[in-house]
Amino acid sequence: MALKKMISSLFLVVGFLLASGCLALYAQNAAPSKQVLTNLEKDEAIVSSQSFRYAGDDGAEKFCLKICNSVTGQYFLFINSRKTGPYDEIARLHTGLFPYSPNDDGSKICISAVKNDKQFLVTADGRVSGPFPKDLVVEEAPAGIDIRKGWIFSAHKNDAEHYVITSKGETYGPFEKNCIICTNDDASRWSFLAVLKKKTYVVFSDGTRLGPYDDWSGQKKIYSRKDDSHGAYMLRKNGRWYAVLTDKKTIGPLDSLDSYQGEMGEVGWPLVSQRSGKWFILIFDNEELGPYDRLFVTAPDESSGRRSY
């Protein structure tokens, strides 16, 4: 009798909770007390395989939850103590495999959410950016960027249509090849290489566009005494080389241009250039070391070898 009475009481409690129209979600944190994260409305459930924990700026444990309404088939996103939605689809970007470790911060978390055939991107601070085209495939963020502060991504629709999108909702493109991006850590100052009608341009965050150039050899981050967000694009035009720096300075024309990806004391990663038969070492702050008759560059590790010019 006592067991039947206990089971009957349990069903009454569960029935009361369901009739109330919402279930409170609890999560056990490091302390013995329980923390209420959010309320689930009737017919809502957490998609546990696509929900995860992460560490906030203060090191506190936070949660990103994907919530599904079984009646409408729509989704909600709970992140940074905010519930947004409804969305038609939710996918996760830039965060690796589930489950997400609580020791990892939110600097690379980005959620793609689709509503009314438009795509929105949500970061770990709860910021929603967009809309962007639904069929736009977002690629990895540039290395070193904290996308909670602001972001710039390369994206594509297919092999022939490439774009650049920003946290301000800007869309650049289409371009013919994948765009090479250089940015500071909060994407307030950026630039990228874009190929249009088989010509190469450098596009800057203030709207400036330099070019056209015939082709390019890459983008390299080079040493600056100001900060670590600067770089140079190595481009060629009419058989001569140019270094276009991310503050819009242009060095050239040059007979040759190379980048040595090692470290040379305070110089960091220099560009090595040649003109009129003489060699120069270029660092970002519009400074050239030289001229030299020859250069010998030795890497700090033996695997990179030694290079001479």
Side-chain angles (χ1 to χ4, degrees):
M1 284 296 291
L3 180 60
K4 289 183 177 179
K5 187 175 181 180
M6 184 183 298
I7 294 174
S8 177
S9 299
L10 179 61
F11 276 110
L12 285 173
V13 171
V14 174
F16 172 77
L17 288 173
L18 290 172
S20 66
C22 70
L23 289 172
L25 172 68
Y26 291 93
Q28 185 75 37
N29 57 21
S33 61
K34 292 182 178 180
Q35 175 188 4
V36 178
L37 296 179
T38 187
N39 289 327
L40 295 181
E41 303 296 335
K42 186 180 179 180
D43 303 317
E44 288 183 348
I46 296 172
V47 184
S48 58
S49 63
Q50 297 184 40
S51 300
F52 56 93
R53 298 175 296 164
Y54 64 96
D57 286 338
D58 56 359
E61 187 178 61
K62 293 194 174 185
F63 294 81
C64 179
L65 307 177
K66 180 178 178 179
I67 300 169
C68 178
N69 187 300
S70 60
V71 174
T72 65
Q74 293 180 309
Y75 297 92
F76 294 84
L77 182 65
F78 175 82
I79 191 167
N80 196 35
S81 303
R82 289 181 55 200
K83 186 178 179 183
T84 64
Y87 300 109
D88 302 322
E89 301 173 28
I90 290 180
R92 187 169 161 222
L93 307 170
H94 310 307
T95 50
L97 301 175
F98 300 108
Y100 202 64
S101 169
N103 296 322
D104 292 320
D105 64 25
S107 64
K108 294 294 183 183
I109 294 174
C110 187
I111 311 295
S112 171
V114 175
K115 182 177 181 180
N116 298 329
D117 289 328
K118 296 292 184 180
Q119 181 177 189
F120 299 84
L121 298 181
V122 187
T123 51
D125 59 351
R127 180 192 315 195
V128 181
S129 299
F132 304 106
K134 176 185 176 180
D135 56 350
L136 205 60
V137 179
V138 181
E139 299 166 12
E140 288 292 332
I145 190 173
D146 184 343
I147 62 178
R148 294 168 297 185
K149 300 177 182 178
W151 52 259
I152 177 170
F153 294 146
S154 57
H156 68 274
K157 287 187 177 181
N158 51 56
D159 290 341
E161 286 188 63
H162 298 266
Y163 297 81
V164 169
I165 59 176
T166 76
S167 53
K168 295 180 180 179
E170 302 162 318
T171 301
Y172 298 86
F175 303 110
E176 294 162 12
K177 293 184 178 181
N178 184 40
C179 299
I180 310 299
I181 297 171
C182 186
T183 180
N184 61 344
D185 66 350
D186 64 358
S188 62
R189 185 178 65 255
W190 48 257
S191 57
F192 64 85
L193 276 181
V195 178
L196 189 62
K197 296 182 179 179
K198 298 183 179 180
K199 293 292 184 180
T200 301
Y201 299 84
V202 184
V203 181
F204 296 88
S205 51
D206 65 357
T208 301
R209 187 173 76 172
L210 299 182
Y213 295 91
D214 297 329
D215 56 19
W216 54 277
S217 176
Q219 171 264 321
K220 308 293 182 182
K221 182 171 284 190
I222 60 175
Y223 173 80
S224 170
R225 292 190 173 92
K226 298 174 183 176
D227 58 50
D228 63 355
S229 64
H230 295 296
Y233 298 99
M234 302 165 62
L235 302 121
R236 187 164 54 187
K237 183 177 182 179
N238 298 328
R240 306 293 299 280
W241 286 97
Y242 297 80
V244 177
L245 308 186
T246 49
D247 65 352
K248 298 189 286 295
K249 294 188 180 84
T250 300
I251 308 297
L254 305 168
D255 299 326
S256 65
L257 185 61
D258 194 10
S259 173
Y260 185 74
Q261 296 297 317
E263 294 184 2
M264 279 179 46
E266 293 183 355
V267 177
W269 292 1
L271 291 180
V272 176
S273 64
Q274 184 188 41
R275 63 176 182 271
S276 303
K278 296 293 184 179
W279 292 98
F280 299 84
I281 298 174
L282 172 67
I283 61 176
F284 183 82
D285 307 282
N286 204 27
E287 296 182 49
E288 281 187 320
L289 307 179
Y292 303 104
D293 295 326
R294 294 195 69 188
L295 290 176
F296 298 90
V297 184
T298 302
D301 59 278
E302 294 182 0
S303 62
S304 298
R306 177 175 174 175
R307 193 174 301 178
S308 61
Y309 300 91

